Amino acid sequence: MKDVLKIGNKEFTNRLFTGTGKFASKKFIPLMLEASGSEMITVALRRVDFSAGDENILSYIPKNVVLLPNTSGARNSAEAVRIANIAREAGCGDFIKIEVINDSRYLMPDNVETLKATEILVKDGFTVLPYVMPDVSFIKRFEDAGAAAIMPLGSAIGSNRGIRTKEIISMLIELSRLPIIVDAGIGRPSQAAEAMEMGAAAVLVNTAISSAEDPATAGRAFSLAVQAGRMAYLADMRGEITSGAVASSPLTGFLGERK
Amino acid sequence: MRISVNGTPEDTDELTVASLVLAKTGRLDGIVVEYNGSVLKKVLWDSTYLKENDELELLSFVGGG
């Protein structure tokens, strides 16, 4: 039986989701997607910069990769809903990552506005993936709102600080029936593996890959780490953390022992 | 006539949304237009004539996480 992650009406066999932000050159994007096998990638919506020779980022993303537009820039639910509708009208499909942020220093998401936007957009037929501050009290609210997953941050966007919210994410994984996708702050493949070992359904990595000297290889490294972490979770590793040593062979029958 | 593009008022001689988009960006693909608060489908750009005080947002998809 294949280990498939179902989100909305789509099935994913690769549990590494990626982003298109901050690549030194957009030409790395298709190379990274090929090397990592990532099946879903985020994009953002902005006003056209008339002074720059803007290219259409969508032309760098192969057709078989699911587009996950985000609502970055939204400061409240109304703005998030507007961006989601524009993205859908533009032909991006109906997957949407809700990102509502009012804090410019830490870029922490606003769970209240994110929940409001989730309720509205689910009713309007979107497959909603809310990016949130990990908080147990919001689990049931997002489940009831019809979110397709919950995406708690590991640490601040772009910070490479890893899974700082580990304990709370562990609770979310235990208590929620929704897929928990750790998004933001994952800086190394080992951190992606850590999230997957805990039982996360997937991870989303952007900065760590796009800022690498070799984004394609970095993408592949993350993909392998996600696979390793997922396999470890499925293998149900039960080794306890002990205070002393636990010998791997009997402490009896040593050669040369004299009584 | 006086219109607003991406939040900035400007004077334009362009007649249609399509010609404005082309004049401002040099292309027609990869752009989303919000015309007076609603997304205007590309098929309608050529037949939508600009009028005084129209508000347009010219948007595109960019890299993001």
Side-chain angles (χ1 to χ4, degrees):
Chain A
M1 199 179 76
K2 277 183 92 182
D3 178 33
V4 162
L5 171 58
K6 201 159 168 21
I7 299 176
N9 63 351
K10 302 216 187 282
E11 293 189 343
F12 299 93
T13 50
N14 187 310
R15 292 168 182 267
L16 171 68
F17 300 138
T18 46
T20 51
K22 293 178 285 195
F23 277 83
S25 164
K26 293 191 188 73
K27 70 170 201 267
F28 287 126
I29 295 173
L31 295 172
M32 181 281 291
L33 285 169
E34 168 86 33
S36 67
S38 180
E39 297 165 356
M40 181 152 68
I41 195 161
T42 54
V43 291
L45 191 71
R46 290 288 184 278
R47 284 174 165 169
V48 173
D49 181 354
F50 302 125
S51 57
D54 267 1
E55 286 168 271
N56 181 10
I57 198 142
L58 301 183
S59 62
Y60 290 89
I61 301 170
K63 295 273 173 280
N64 60 318
V65 175
V66 176
L67 287 175
L68 183 62
N70 69 32
T71 66
S72 77
R75 291 157 302 178
N76 56 47
S77 59
E79 290 179 1
V81 168
R82 176 176 165 228
I83 294 172
N85 280 306
I86 291 171
R88 185 161 66 175
E89 274 298 322
C92 273
D94 53 24
F95 271 53
I96 188 78
K97 167 179 166 178
I98 303 183
E99 191 179 309
V100 179
I101 291 170
N102 291 301
D103 148 42
S104 55
R105 169 140 170 81
Y106 296 103
L107 300 183
M108 290 288 130
D110 179 332
N111 283 4
V112 171
E113 291 296 309
T114 299
L115 177 65
K116 272 192 221 164
T118 300
E119 286 163 348
I120 294 167
L121 292 171
V122 165
K123 285 200 180 87
D124 210 7
F126 283 87
T127 298
V128 177
L129 284 71
Y131 168 64
V132 300
M133 199 68 201
D135 183 337
V136 168
S137 70
F138 273 88
I139 295 173
K140 188 162 192 319
R141 291 171 169 138
F142 278 105
E143 287 175 354
D144 291 348
I150 296 178
M151 303 218 289
L153 59 96
S155 54
I157 292 168
S159 71
N160 295 311
R161 293 171 80 84
I163 322 285
R164 299 281 174 139
T165 53
K166 183 168 189 164
E167 302 223 340
I168 315 293
I169 288 182
S170 230
M171 296 174 199
L172 297 184
I173 290 168
E174 181 193 336
L175 298 172
S176 181
R177 57 178 168 74
L178 293 179
I180 304 299
I181 302 170
V182 180
D183 176 14
I186 295 175
R188 293 286 182 275
S190 51
Q191 292 161 357
E194 183 185 354
M196 297 308 295
E197 284 168 30
M198 287 164 58
V203 298
L204 203 160
V205 179
N206 183 357
T207 299
I209 292 174
S210 65
S211 59
E213 193 63 31
D214 180 352
T217 302
R220 180 155 162 74
F222 271 96
S223 185
L224 290 169
V226 165
Q227 287 172 54
R230 179 65 182 168
M231 285 169 66
Y233 173 72
L234 293 175
D236 201 4
M237 330 269 286
R238 290 178 188 258
E240 288 169 17
I241 298 175
T242 65
S243 54
V246 181
S248 26
S249 304
L251 291 169
T252 53
F254 293 119
L255 276 65
E257 209 170 30
R258 290 206 186 286
K259 300 241 186 313
Chain B
M1 76 193 90
R2 195 87 168 155
I3 61 172
S4 160
V5 180
N6 287 0
T8 306
E10 60 179 70
D11 286 307
T12 186
D13 292 328
E14 301 300 333
L15 294 176
T16 62
V17 169
S19 64
L20 179 80
V21 171
L22 202 54
K24 301 284 299 184
T25 71
R27 66 184 211 263
L28 293 176
D29 68 294
I31 312 249
V32 184
V33 172
E34 230 194 5
Y35 179 67
N36 293 327
S38 309
V39 174
L40 186 69
K41 289 196 197 303
K42 190 175 279 182
V43 289
L44 298 176
W45 290 2
D46 221 19
S47 55
T48 302
Y49 287 84
L50 297 171
K51 40 189 210 312
E52 193 76 21
N53 298 323
D54 271 347
E55 288 180 7
L56 286 94
E57 291 279 341
L58 272 47
L59 310 165
S60 66
F61 286 99
V62 300

